[in-house]
Amino acid sequence: GASQDSGEGKQLTLTQLDDYNDEFVAGAKNQLATLTISRDSYSNALENRYSYLQHPPVFSHKLSIDPPITNQKSSGRCWIFACLNMLRLPMMQRYKLEELELSQPYLFFYDKLEKSNWFLENVLATLDEELDGRVVQFLLTDPINDGGQFDMIVALLEKYGVVPKEAYPETFHTSNSREMDALITSKLREFAKQLRQAHAAGADVEALRARKRGMLGEVHRVLAVSLGRPPEKITWAFRDKNKQFHEFRDVTPQDFYRTHVQVDCTRLVSLINDPRNAYMRKYTVQYLGNVAEAAGVRYVNLPIADMKEYAAAVIQSGRPVWFGCDVGKFRSNARGLLDPQVIDYRAAFDFGFDTTKADRLQYGESAMTHAMLLTGVHIEDGKPVRWRVENSWGDGSGNKGYLTLTDAWFSEFVYQV
């Protein structure tokens, strides 16, 4: 049978602590490491000089336009910023514009409203589940967080279109979303309680959906007060690089998207690299979405080499690539570099890391946390060496708003293109 746990070694003993202290004092470099590390961040104090010298921000293939860098500020709208930064580039070429920004707040408004409806529909779909069960508690955790997937922004664009930023600009609560998110979340949890109680009292689904209509009206009121009502029609006027004046009047957001953006996002395919699961198969994530009538979030899982090949080919054709990654891993803020070797933890702590990409996903050590835009790639001997990234953290971040990520970092921490 199985051996019994004697309990030996369960406690952290004072003798054990003395051994640790003796070992630390005996380490020749520990005093120097303490003097260095205690004064600065790991990313600054342990920055690997050889890493950034090997990967200068120079690329064999780069898009011809460098538009002004955008800034999502204190919000989680990176996925919206990255997509709209992608869509503006062909517009700038077509209309000969030196700068253009599409309205992230416009899509943010409708994303919050659609996510609220999505959440309440999931509440209706799980009325017979236990309140303290895993599914319902998962749904209640964070119903309208700022994040999203590529298919979710496609659903918003197809339904609501988009407008230039000057037609629907930032407010305090688009750039600092936490307070508004908390308010709406509190109401949504209250609504979930009311719907479950009404169901228990015998209300049918038609009656519950009638109540949901009023609930969404309250959410809409919060959004309209906090962000302003989105425009139903706009006038888009500008001068191009040749100083020629252009004006388009009484344009709906949907017409602006179809007529002026002219990119059919429904034809784009979302690729992921998830080594936990079989390749060359289509996947989705249950309960992940925003627009209830949309097709949902879909991915095709590919080996990382295939993902890189397709991404490089798109860049070489003159188009940018939306991508999702774990941006907090091995990043030098000062150099604007993402590389597994850029922070030398071994130099200070005498250890490295022994986990694969699949391990990190399985043990909660890594996840897709940020979306950006690939706008360049450096090819040597037919293979990518490093990638150029347009971020949305303002031009004071990284290398004037741009980052360089090495091909090794792409392999380990890029999850979706």
Side-chain angles (χ1 to χ4, degrees), residues 48-62:
N48 183 348
R49 182 171 186 265
Y50 300 103
S51 175
Y52 67 78
L53 289 178
Q54 286 180 333
H55 300 288
V58 180
F59 305 89
S60 58
H61 300 84
K62 185 178 83 68

Side-chain angles (χ1 to χ4, degrees), residues 152-173:
M152 292 164 65
I153 194 170
V154 173
L156 293 172
L157 288 165
E158 288 295 306
K159 185 170 182 177
Y160 296 105
V162 72
V163 296
K165 187 105 174 219
E166 58 265 27
Y168 194 70
E170 300 282 344
T171 71
F172 176 86
H173 292 285

Side-chain angles (χ1 to χ4, degrees), residues 77-87 148-153 268-272 299 307 311 314-315 319-325 368 370-375 410 414-417:
R77 298 173 291 163
C78 58
W79 58 295
I80 299 176
F81 272 75
C83 183
L84 295 186
N85 287 345
M86 176 185 76
L87 296 181
Q149 296 286 319
F150 188 80
D151 281 342
M152 292 164 65
I153 194 170
L268 301 178
V269 178
S270 186
L271 308 177
I272 58 169
Y299 318 94
M307 181 183 285
V314 171
I315 292 170
R319 294 172 292 157
V321 176
W322 186 102
F323 79 105
C325 65
M368 195 171 79
H370 190 50
M372 299 182 283
L373 206 59
L374 294 171
T375 63
F410 193 121
V414 170
Y415 292 106
Q416 183 180 0
V417 299

Side-chain angles (χ1 to χ4, degrees), residues 121-280:
E121 279 298 310
N122 281 325
V123 170
L124 296 179
T126 56
L127 289 171
D128 294 323
E129 297 275 350
E130 292 292 331
L131 175 59
D132 58 357
R134 183 176 178 181
V135 172
V136 175
Q137 287 302 306
F138 167 76
L139 294 174
L140 292 169
T141 300
D142 195 6
I144 56 152
N145 69 82
D146 286 357
Q149 296 286 319
F150 188 80
D151 281 342
M152 292 164 65
I153 194 170
V154 173
L156 293 172
L157 288 165
E158 288 295 306
K159 185 170 182 177
Y160 296 105
V162 72
V163 296
K165 187 105 174 219
E166 58 265 27
Y168 194 70
E170 300 282 344
T171 71
F172 176 86
H173 292 285
T174 59
S175 300
N176 305 271
S177 58
R178 180 175 298 178
E179 191 176 27
M180 184 185 73
D181 286 354
L183 176 60
I184 296 174
T185 296
S186 293
K187 291 302 297 183
L188 288 175
R189 289 170 177 156
E190 178 184 301
F191 296 154
K193 182 201 75 168
Q194 293 171 358
L195 291 173
R196 290 179 66 89
Q197 288 179 340
H199 171 68
D204 61 20
V205 68
E206 288 79 11
L208 294 176
R209 283 215 168 94
R211 295 190 66 169
K212 186 193 76 166
R213 180 183 176 90
M215 294 169 177
L216 289 175
E218 291 192 26
V219 174
H220 181 274
R221 189 179 312 129
V222 172
L223 292 168
V225 168
S226 305
L227 310 184
R229 288 193 307 113
E232 296 178 5
K233 287 187 177 182
I234 65 164
T235 293
W236 185 37
F238 59 91
R239 289 190 182 273
D240 63 24
K241 293 180 181 179
N242 300 322
K243 309 302 181 184
Q244 295 297 310
F245 179 74
H246 304 265
E247 186 177 49
F248 302 91
R249 290 181 171 273
D250 295 325
V251 181
T252 68
Q254 294 86 348
D255 285 340
F256 184 85
Y257 175 57
R258 289 189 292 266
T259 304
H260 298 291
V261 176
Q262 293 185 9
V263 176
D264 184 359
C265 289
T266 64
R267 300 187 63 186
L268 301 178
V269 178
S270 186
L271 308 177
I272 58 169
N273 175 244
D274 182 353
R276 298 171 300 175
N277 294 300
Y279 292 131
M280 302 306 296

Side-chain angles (χ1 to χ4, degrees), residues 12 58 96 108 141 158 211 263 291 301 305 320 353 367 381 400:
L12 173 62
V58 180
K96 300 181 174 62
F108 189 60
T141 300
E158 288 295 306
R211 295 190 66 169
V263 176
V291 178
N301 195 22
F353 298 94
D381 299 323
K400 297 181 180 179

Side-chain angles (χ1 to χ4, degrees), residues 310-375:
Y310 292 132
V314 171
I315 292 170
Q316 288 172 299
S317 74
R319 294 172 292 157
V321 176
W322 186 102
F323 79 105
C325 65
D326 191 353
V327 74
K329 302 296 185 185
F330 297 97
R331 183 181 81 238
S332 169
N333 295 320
R335 304 289 175 180
L337 179 64
L338 297 154
D339 179 45
Q341 306 303 319
V342 74
I343 304 175
D344 190 353
Y345 291 104
R346 189 175 297 279
F349 303 112
D350 288 328
F351 63 66
F353 298 94
D354 184 26
T355 52
T356 65
K357 193 173 191 177
D359 293 336
R360 290 189 292 271
L361 288 168
Q362 289 170 329
Y363 283 88
E365 172 55 19
S366 185
M368 195 171 79
T369 61
H370 190 50
M372 299 182 283
L373 206 59
L374 294 171
T375 63

